[in-house]
Amino acid sequence: MREIKVAPSMLSADILHLEEDIKKVEAAGADYLHLDIMDGHFVPNLSFSADIVKAIRPISNMVFDVHLMISDPEFYLENFVKAGADIVTFHYEAVENPVALAEKIHSYGIKAGISIKPKTPASVLSDIIENFDLILVMTVEPGFGGQSYIMEMNEKIAEVREMIDKTGKDIELQVDGGVSPKNAHLPVSHGANVLVAGSAVFKSEDYKTTISQIRSAE
Ligand code: DX5
Ligand code: ZN
């Protein structure tokens, strides 16, 4: 059995009570804190900057999992490294040379992830997958929390899992978008091991119950 990690997305946290929400989600057993960075260009929405990530770093021991939905991830990389990112994931669609950027991320001593949007086929990863610590399969169009899980992504998750297994390396397979206790069994049964969940966690009454339901969904 694969260990399942849950990564609540801060995008859905209560901005007026950010510190409280982050501490609550950590105490509730979250593995990673997923930090969605949007530039209003790669995606039609804005979120928050590296300054916010830096401000919350001292209040949490969670793995800071930074998801860059921005057009020029290389330009902003160092800001997020200095802010305390443990994993930086950028989009395949945003860069010319993903392997070079992975190497640059690794040069800072942190983990590198690559993400593909729903319309991008898994096959684009076949020659580059070994350069990454994490593959993020988007299960919604990036840009907004609270959307519905795209069922057609299940096959893509399985395809990426097969590619990862062929490498023999310990590469994480993350899914992001529309994941809840009701459907978390789908990405898991298709091979995902890190589940991002924004609204399902932060809009729930009891973070601990929701996180353990997502983690153990069958
Ligand atoms: C979407 C973001 C997600 C989002 C997930 O662009 O990458 O991380 O916050 O939110 P839910 O879980 O509500 O779909
Ligand atoms: Zn995300």
Side-chain angles (χ1 to χ4, degrees):
M1 272 287 281
R2 204 167 272 135
E3 188 205 346
I4 304 300
K5 295 176 182 168
V6 180
S9 163
M10 200 179 83
L11 200 60
S12 297
D14 181 354
I15 309 278
L16 286 180
H17 301 97
L18 212 44
E19 179 169 7
E20 192 185 323
D21 267 14
I22 292 166
K23 287 180 174 165
K24 257 170 68 183
V25 94
E26 183 163 9
D31 300 281
Y32 297 174
L33 185 63
H34 186 80
L35 298 160
D36 286 304
I37 311 300
M38 305 181 185
D39 66 352
H41 187 256
F42 183 75
V43 290
N45 197 8
L46 295 162
S47 59
F48 46 85
S49 69
D51 288 343
I52 304 284
V53 176
K54 194 174 183 181
I56 61 172
R57 183 68 277 188
I59 65 156
S60 174
N61 289 317
M62 282 182 284
V63 167
F64 274 17
D65 168 29
V66 173
H67 177 195
L68 298 178
M69 286 163 276
I70 64 179
S71 296
D72 195 349
E74 187 170 3
F75 184 77
Y76 293 99
L77 173 62
E78 199 169 333
N79 290 357
F80 288 97
V81 173
K82 286 186 178 153
D86 297 295
I87 306 169
V88 169
T89 298
F90 61 88
H91 268 266
Y92 171 84
E93 302 85 359
V95 297
E96 299 255 313
N97 190 341
V99 174
L101 189 50
E103 281 168 4
K104 191 161 180 192
I105 296 172
H106 285 143
S107 75
Y108 290 107
I110 63 167
K111 292 185 174 175
I114 189 160
S115 179
I116 50 175
K117 297 206 278 185
K119 291 191 185 79
T120 304
S123 57
V124 303
L125 300 172
S126 56
D127 293 336
I128 59 172
I129 196 160
E130 298 212 17
N131 296 281
F132 293 89
D133 307 286
L134 178 149
I135 309 298
L136 167 52
V137 174
M138 289 305 299
T139 44
V140 297
E141 282 298 335
F144 300 89
Q147 304 179 76
S148 302
Y149 184 90
I150 303 172
M151 284 294 175
E152 287 74 25
M153 295 302 110
N154 290 330
E155 275 314 302
K156 197 201 276 189
I157 297 164
E159 230 179 296
V160 175
R161 168 48 62 193
E162 206 174 299
M163 287 163 70
I164 290 175
D165 288 349
K166 270 194 200 142
T167 69
K169 291 189 171 170
D170 191 16
I171 300 168
E172 299 206 290
L173 177 42
Q174 182 176 62
V175 291
D176 182 8
V179 175
S180 73
K182 285 206 177 89
N183 63 16
H185 64 282
L186 292 170
V188 170
S189 65
H190 288 83
N193 76 302
V194 186
L195 309 176
V196 176
S199 43
V201 171
F202 284 107
K203 307 291 180 220
S204 72
E205 283 296 310
D206 176 357
Y207 295 178
K208 193 169 184 174
T209 304
T210 308
I211 289 171
S212 57
Q213 283 171 345
I214 291 173
R215 199 193 302 284
S216 57
E218 278 173 30

